[in-house]
Amino acid sequence: MTEVSIEKLTKSYGNARAVNAISMKIAEGEFISLLGPSGCGKTTTLKMIAGFEDVTEGAIRFDGQDVVNTPAEKRDIGMVFQNYALFPHMTVEQNLAFGLEMRKVPKPQMRERIAKVLDMVQLKGYEARYPRQLSGGQQQRVALARALVIEPKILLLDEPLANLDAKLREEMRVFIRDLQRRVGITTVYVTHDQAEAMTMSDRVVVMFGGRIAQIGSPTDIYERPENHEVAEFVGQVNLVEAKVESVGEGTATVTSPLGNFILPTKISVKPGNMVSLALRPEAIELSMATAGQPAATVLASYYSGALMDYRLKLDNGDELHAQTFPVNRFAEGDRVALHAPAERFWLVGVAQ
Amino acid sequence: MTEVSIEKLTKSYGNARAVNAISMKIAEGEFISLLGPSGCGKTTTLKMIAGFEDVTEGAIRFDGQDVVNTPAEKRDIGMVFQNYALFPHMTVEQNLAFGLEMRKVPKPQMRERIAKVLDMVQLKGYEARYPRQLSGGQQQRVALARALVIEPKILLLDEPLANLDAKLREEMRVFIRDLQRRVGITTVYVTHDQAEAMTMSDRVVVMFGGRIAQIGSPTDIYERPENHEVAEFVGQVNLVEAKVESVGEGTATVTSPLGNFILPTKISVKPGNMVSLALRPEAIELSMATAGQPAATVLASYYSGALMDYRLKLDNGDELHAQTFPVNRFAEGDRVALHAPAERFWLVGVAQ
Amino acid sequence: QNKTLIVPTLGGVWEQFWRNTLAPEFTKASGANVTLDVGNGRVWGANMRAAGVANPPYSVVMTNEVFASSLRKEGFFEKLDLSKVSNYNDLYPLAKKTDGWGAIAMVSPIGLAYRTDLVKTPPKAWKDLWTNPEFKGKIGLYSFSNSAGKMQLMLFSKIFGKDMYDTEAGFKALGELGSVIQADFNLSTGIASGEFVIAPFDFGEVARLRKQGLPIDVIVPEEGLLMFDQTINILANAPEKELAYEYANFLLAPETQALLMKEFFISPTNSKVVVPDDLKADVPISGPEMDKILSWDWDFMNQNQAAFAETWAKTVK
Amino acid sequence: MSPGKTKGIGPYLLIAPAGLLLAIFLVLPYLNIGVMSFRVPGQGTPYGEGFTLVNYARFFADSFYIWQVVNTLWIGFLTTAICLVIGFPVAWQLTRPNMRFRGLAYGLVLSPLLVGIVIRSYGWTILLGNNGLINRTLTNMGLIDAPLPLMYNALGIIIALVHVFLPFMILPIMNGIQGIDPSLEAAARSLGASRATAFRRIVLPLSMPGIQAGCILVFVLSLSAYVTPSLIGGLKVKTMAVTVVDALIDTFQWPFGSALALMLSVTGAIIVVIFGRMTRMKWKVA
Amino acid sequence: MSRPFLTGYCLLIYAFLLAPILVVVGASFNAGAFLTFPPQGLSFRWYVTFFNNEVFMRAIRTSLWVAFVTMIISGVIGTMAALFHVLHARRSKDVVRIAMLAPLLLPEVLTAISLLFFVYAIGIGTQNMVGMIIGHVLITLPFVFINVSASLESFDPSWDMAARSLGAPKLVRFRRIMLPMIKSGVIGGCLFAFIISFDIFTISFMLKGVGTSTLPIQLFDYLRTNFTPEAAAVSTVSIVLTLTVVIISEKVLGLRIHRF
Ligand SMILES: Nc1ncnc2c1ncn2[C@@H]1O[C@H](COP(=O)(O)OP(=O)(O)OP(=O)(O)O)[C@@H](O)[C@H]1O
Ligand SMILES: Nc1ncnc2c1ncn2[C@@H]1O[C@H](COP(=O)(O)OP(=O)(O)OP(=O)(O)O)[C@@H](O)[C@H]1O
Ligand SMILES: [Mg+2]
Ligand SMILES: [Mg+2]
């Protein structure tokens, strides 16, 4: 149960800043995800919180105490490393026992806890194996188990599920979330998987190039992205040209090929401005075209397991991407009608 | 342009068989994915094809030639290793150049090819970095680039995108697929990501515990899984109790809480048998309940970015999982009607 | 084309002197080239044994009598053809002890040296090592592996027992000597650094140390002197026998002996050499005084050295 | 490592040059020595007629020699242990990424080897001797009355051996440490291990290949060292190597010397094998 | 261990390593004619003497040459043997190791003597330096072997696999991938081989070619008779030379491998 607060945290490698003056406050027991493209500084941030990278500038506080000079082992953290960092000379069991030994957990209790966690990560029977005798995914699970078994105050997870299949991943998520809630561990979770970040986190931090682009709840991030980059990063997005007709109190009325809408606006617009309407592909529903509705032509359709992807062409030439369940299938060249509720649109500034 | 054929390939570690008598034929220029839970033997299979693991039993043929005794370096393969295996003492550029040097590609052409690939994996400007100065995802991309730049006859990719975010992943997929098609590289792709396997592959091989469970096109695998395990693995699946009413020529008529269907059957059933009806969550459409339709009560709903997940309870007490776009949202306790087309159901044998 | 004689020589200053002075002299006298081969009795012995009696790598060898005597037994050397060694007759009797099988070309008498600054009562006899408490724990000795070590044993046996064969007495005395510091070859370091203050030293060495500024002096003990000897031997199957004889004769010549005396403060073995006054201090033993040098039964020593070495190791502290 | 390679004669070509060299120039010459050790000791000749076990009997019958073996092993063991303890931190520091003056430090580590044995012993005599710098300083300061026995005993031998063998411990350990991923240490600390514990539980065991190599080298070298023990030990401490050398080249007891030498070598070899087995890296063996 | 403590500790060790050498270096600047410490006044006269001493200079040249040849031969075959030992030997591991260590386990004198008899038996004799160099290779081989073995233990086979997947033949893989990864072991082993060969006494003494001499022999003989500071000067010069070589190789080759 520790509150973590970060202030203007910066890490430079030579002239380049891997992490650039980021600030955030993570509440006790909160589950926060770091989301961002490869190389944006997620691992670096995590390592600074853990105490493995020197802080170039800024402060890190646990419960108000500056910990920049506290050695890693005194911070009571559990960490899953992106490259696992399993101890090659210890068996799976010894790897898990290590943290417990440091905490002087009595032997019988230790054995019990290890057995429980191993069971959860589905590696029962692998106790005596050395890391190099395990598959990639198995190693990753050992790394996860090793960090979880100590039930630390702060949990730092660096893409801990990247090498697992969907089923296992799902089960691991539940397991992590359960433990985290039960013990009340403040958790920072690094993932490249938007869906994972969305389903697991209390809040999501989106980073780009060492800076924080947005912090907010998953719904915030997904449905009210503060800028186009965030919107694009956390999901696919369609941009449709629109024209501002009139401006009201924090809202604007726009006309577009998809219809006319009154939308809240955070950017300053004037009547007559050309803007972009943003819309997620899965917000679009398709049906056979009937007259009087916004319509489009199917350019291409892809099947991807659970979903159908359509590339559509509006009559004004703009292209759209729609994603639906493969209940009704449309073929290339079909005319389809588009439906999308007004609240799924948002304005993203002047279209170039 | 090489045809790869594998026959009764087996790899034992002591008594345990990591790969157990698998056979398959990969056509020239085909793109095949190995899909399966962690530890099922994917990496081991790949390494045997590459020539890095001794074959305990069985044969591997490239274009009909047995290669079991051909050293790896003579097999003209490109491989991305699960742990990258970048050369730590070489810069990014030197890592990429290595394979080209082995092929005696002239300097100017080499430089050009490296620049092109680096551009594709979005690592322009990183030429002079050493692997240790890169983030996890960047390293993975270098590993990918290193295997691709040599344009080998056979490409073996072991979870090459596991550490990348969705956007980059998507772009890399297109890049890999493009190159693979253009050069006609026979490709074996290991992934834990079902969707990836589905979208990229000509055929998918599903493995469990060292054995092949099913080989088939993505649609085959997803929509006509040969058994329950495969079905479960490549996507979520609902099982509904049903009763066989009558049996026809390869078909059976069943009654179930979701309605009555005539379904093709591969398993032998007799009238009066209790069987399971399988159905994917996303095949279910929900609407407000009206009389006369199969209906259920919403137990819980989760929001996960693009999708809504519902846990539903049928009136007979069975639970179902449905996945829809968040167009209509239902709350806990709502009564909903269920729709699902008959062709999305399949029979999976006697329910226990 | 000139012939070449391989001349085994000791290293360091010896080699330098041979290279710069003696070899050119010999070349001038004989017209033959000289190849110097640095080593010592052990190496030459090993080389000759390895090569075998029939094919020795050398024609002439000058080494300690202790090595020479066993090699002689093994048949490597021949009895000197005295007609070819005209200088043999001028040698002191001491130098002719080998019965014509070799001739001692150099003698470095060994006395008892002590640090003049660290010793209050200078010694007079070997016995003083036991009796003067000043020396307790500060005595240096040659180890048994050195030929001087073997002589020490025979000397002490003679002093404390019936004769040199009474080694029981000798060892008993050695045991009573208490702690001594042994060195295999180099005693100079120890005495220079003051690790011990008294030890057997050859006169030449003492002279050198004194010249280098070390406060050291050496006495001729009442019981007599030991010596490092260098016997010159001719190989029975020498590849260059004529030259070898020429060289042997050259070494024994008074002119050569004088040169060696000046350089190394050895006691000349050729009776025709006169020690000039300015060298008297550094070469105190010459002429009739050569009688003070005791001689030893090397056959006895060689036959029993295995047992003696073991007893020595167990006895000397 | 990678398979396909272990097949055929390929790998044996790697060991062939060393194997041949040792077979021709070590094993063959030593056959002679092996035979020699069964010869009848000679009188004034290297050996006499016929064969006998008397040389070995003489070794086993005399506690003087048995004790020498014990003594030699003990000195070897202590030297190795001390080298390990004082060498490891130096090796560790030399591999730190931000180490400055690495070249210089590396050179310093090697420096004891650069001074010939005689000169080096002279240096020690100046320092450790009864009349040496240390003893003189302490005496002048009035701290001691009689000189401390720093030389002419096992202590002096061990000091001098540690000094000259330290490089043989440090370099292999450095090689071992360089193979350790620093994130393993980080992982240990994230689990609550202090620097010291992480060092002890992670760095130390993972440097085992280097430690093993260093210990074997130092131990073997200590066993066969004879110049240092004879110069620094003033021949007061009997070690096997010194006795062997005496027997072989000073007193011409070739049969007995050969027997002693072979006993010493076999003992050393057995200890090396046992040590190798004890420190086998289980996690590397399939 | 905390950083300052570690640094302090290491400085102490370096002091220990240097102590007797400083004595020697100090003595070499002795103005007096005798090898004493502390020196009686400072001067370079013994260096001048040394550089003008043709015998020493020739011995140094011989030693350097022999050490160089020895280092190359030992370096190559010792590394090969280590490769076999770590990568290929299974059951023969112990045997290979003991065999490779044998030259150190056996007393150098005995090796020297038996080799001397052997070279005469096969007709090489000591007319040239072949016998001596063989002896030097025997003695230095274990050092290369042990050092290379130790660094090979931490070579990750997946690097080799990656290189093979890129089509690199065995020798190229060795030169471009493995050698850079084990270079500290190879350099360490070769340095040992060089330095030890430079310092070998007994083998050289017994087996040196007739009429030649190496520095340790010269020095040894010299010290028997001339205990002057010149000997210390010789040592000092060889330390300085080697230190320079090591520092330059650190700058040029980098003695540390950047793996992580
Ligand atoms: N050296 C070994 N000794 C014993 N078992 C091993 C060894 N290497 C791998 N295995 C086992 O073989 C099985 C297959 O391993 P493999 O690496 O092929 O799995 P995978 O399908 O690649 O899994 P993942 O998706 O987790 O990477 C695993 O159960 C693993 O534990
Ligand atoms: N030692 C280093 N020297 C220079 N740059 C570095 C170093 N380590 C990391 N970087 C750079 O810092 C940036 C941030 O790296 P970081 O590992 O934090 O990324 P990340 O967000 O974890 O990415 P990924 O998702 O790919 O793991 C990257 O651009 C990387 O190239
Ligand atoms: Mg990262
Ligand atoms: Mg795998």
Side-chain angles (χ1 to χ4, degrees), chain A residues 134-138 163, chain B residues 37-44 46 82 158-159 190:
Chain A
L134 297 177
S135 79
Q138 288 164 344
N163 270 296
Chain B
S38 174
C40 72
K42 305 181 294 291
T43 299
T44 310
L46 225 52
Q82 204 168 2
D158 200 350
E159 314 214 344
V190 168

Side-chain angles (χ1 to χ4, degrees), chain D residues 139-179:
Chain D
T139 316
N140 291 345
M141 284 162 59
L143 292 175
I144 51 172
D145 295 330
L148 297 175
L150 302 174
M151 238 178 105
Y152 313 117
N153 54 23
L155 174 66
I157 294 178
I158 289 174
I159 291 177
L161 287 183
V162 165
H163 178 251
V164 63
F165 292 158
L166 211 44
F168 301 124
M169 184 64 87
I170 291 177
L171 258 58
I173 292 183
M174 275 179 65
N175 300 338
I177 293 181
Q178 294 197 337

